[in-house]
Amino acid sequence: MTASRIVALGHYQPPKVLTNDDLAKLVDTDDEWIRSRVGIRTRHIAVDETLVDLAAEAAQKALAASGRQAHEVDLVVVATCTAVERSPNTAAAVAARLGITAPAAYDINTVCSGFSYALATADHALRAGAATRALVIGAERMSDTIDWTDRSTCVIFGDGAGAAVVEAVPDEQAGIGPVVWGSEPAKGDAVVITGWDPTISQQGQAVFRWATTRIAPLARETCLKAGLDPSELRGFVAHQANLRIIDAIAGKLGAAPDAVIARDVVDSGNTSAASIPLALSKLVERGELRSGDPVLLFGFGGGLAYAGQVVRCP
Ligand code: UT7
């Protein structure tokens, strides 16, 4: 039997940083409101960088860290809700940029839970023998969807990308646990990105209530499905939507007091499908999570879709 594991990670954020004080010059807001309600201090905003630039930078770093060559990749999956091009899709454009010659290449849009969906589909393809080495990327230019006069959304989102190289391995080296996924489509209008010049709007309080009540039991179920009690986790990387949501879920999860809880939302804002690989890659790069550490990833948001799995750090 074959399983899969993450062998390397990479991330990229555009250099331009917007602070809360910068935003207070655009709309009626202030640093205190943003920090106390959402927990964000800064977010990175793409200026000249396209979505493909962001995704390709993160993917290139992950590939370099893996020690593999582009021609050894046979699957590219990009999770994004901000693709401008319909064809070629983002995955094909990234593959062309990196010199990956003949991969299966597709995009997935499940908004903020996209990376966990992409990782699950890559894991399933590798387990089925349909591929041997995958690049799984979460990338967003959320700034394309922002109405810069709307204070309820423009303070929240940011741009960036994170990527993982995932390889087929023998069962005993498995590093990606079973996915728990689903959605509540009847509540789909709680997060909307629509129009030719797409603009994001959300029912913030409704999503907040849903996330803080529905996600923790699903996160626990994900650990148990992986054969782990939540207290055995070394880390928890939730979708980085709001510090209060992350801490509420972490509090109910039952992780050990010394488990590492990702709080990258503080520096990066909400980068939708990019937020989980971005936060995970930074924690591994900083040595806060080590090789083999079990970490719960859990994405949730637009849809209202969710997905999560326990992974072993590369
Ligand atoms: O990733 C996609 C999934 N989305 C989420 O997970 C988002 C979940 N929801 C949230 O994170 C929070 O609901 C928000 C951060 C979006 C909003 O925080 P909140 O504590 O729920 O605020 P609210 O929407 O209830 O607004 C409270 C007040 C309102 O004023 P009034 O009506 O009480 O006078 C808003 O107009 O805060 C006002 N407000 C602001 N004030 C200063 C809204 N945005 C701002 C702002 N600065 N930027």
Side-chain angles (χ1 to χ4, degrees), residues 205-297:
Q205 287 191 6
V207 184
F208 190 99
R209 271 195 305 278
W210 173 78
T212 50
T213 53
R214 284 285 289 138
I215 301 304
L218 293 162
R220 287 184 64 82
E221 181 190 334
T222 310
C223 295
L224 300 179
K225 231 176 152 176
L228 239 87
D229 187 84
S231 62
E232 297 173 90
L233 291 171
R234 284 301 311 134
F236 174 43
V237 183
H239 167 49
Q240 303 288 296
N242 182 318
L243 199 54
R244 288 189 295 148
I245 295 177
I246 293 166
D247 287 341
I249 298 171
K252 291 179 185 174
L253 181 62
D258 65 341
V260 176
I261 310 296
R263 295 192 174 88
D264 187 49
V265 66
V266 174
D267 300 319
S268 304
N270 178 342
T271 58
S272 187
S275 84
I276 288 178
L278 192 55
L280 179 65
S281 178
K282 286 183 184 178
L283 288 172
V284 171
E285 186 180 73
R286 291 201 295 259
E288 291 181 47
L289 289 170
R290 301 215 177 87
S291 181
D293 280 351
V295 178
L296 172 66
L297 312 182

Side-chain angles (χ1 to χ4, degrees), residues 1 5 10 76 83 97 102 106 116 121 126 136 161 166 176 187 192 209 214 217 223 230 248 256 278 292 300:
M1 279 293 284
R5 67 178 300 127
V76 181
R97 187 78 66 82
Y106 58 89
S116 282
T121 66
L126 293 165
V136 183
V166 183
I176 298 181
K187 296 180 183 165
V192 173
R209 271 195 305 278
R214 284 285 289 138
C223 295
L278 192 55
F300 52 85

Side-chain angles (χ1 to χ4, degrees), residues 44-280:
H44 291 247
I45 299 293
V47 181
D48 297 323
E49 303 91 343
T50 64
L51 177 69
V52 174
D53 293 336
L54 303 178
E57 285 283 346
Q60 186 65 64
K61 287 183 181 175
L63 195 59
S66 75
R68 304 294 184 188
Q69 303 298 312
H71 68 83
E72 296 177 279
V73 174
D74 53 8
L75 173 63
V76 181
V77 189
V78 176
T80 187
C81 68
T82 50
V84 178
E85 310 296 339
R86 303 294 193 271
S87 178
N89 62 26
T90 317
V94 170
R97 187 78 66 82
L98 267 57
I100 303 170
T101 46
Y106 58 89
D107 290 6
I108 282 184
N109 173 13
T110 47
V111 205
C112 308
S113 56
F115 183 77
S116 282
Y117 271 86
L119 192 60
T121 66
D123 175 53
H124 299 164
L126 293 165
R127 283 176 181 273
T132 57
R133 185 167 297 106
L135 258 172
V136 183
I137 304 162
E140 300 283 15
R141 246 189 82 123
M142 293 306 289
S143 57
D144 280 347
T145 71
I146 291 172
D147 171 356
W148 292 101
T149 65
D150 176 4
R151 69 176 181 174
S152 70
T153 51
C154 75
V155 302
I156 290 174
F157 296 97
D159 300 334
V165 175
V166 183
E167 292 187 352
V169 293
D171 246 358
E172 59 275 15
Q173 294 171 27
I176 298 181
V179 68
V180 168
W181 56 9
S183 63
E184 295 188 34
K187 296 180 183 165
D189 61 358
V191 180
V192 173
I193 306 175
T194 192
W196 286 110
D197 183 12
T199 305
I200 189 162
S201 59
Q202 60 176 347
Q203 299 163 19
Q205 287 191 6
V207 184
F208 190 99
R209 271 195 305 278
W210 173 78
T212 50
T213 53
R214 284 285 289 138
I215 301 304
L218 293 162
R220 287 184 64 82
E221 181 190 334
T222 310
C223 295
L224 300 179
K225 231 176 152 176
L228 239 87
D229 187 84
S231 62
E232 297 173 90
L233 291 171
R234 284 301 311 134
F236 174 43
V237 183
H239 167 49
Q240 303 288 296
N242 182 318
L243 199 54
R244 288 189 295 148
I245 295 177
I246 293 166
D247 287 341
I249 298 171
K252 291 179 185 174
L253 181 62
D258 65 341
V260 176
I261 310 296
R263 295 192 174 88
D264 187 49
V265 66
V266 174
D267 300 319
S268 304
N270 178 342
T271 58
S272 187
S275 84
I276 288 178
L278 192 55
L280 179 65

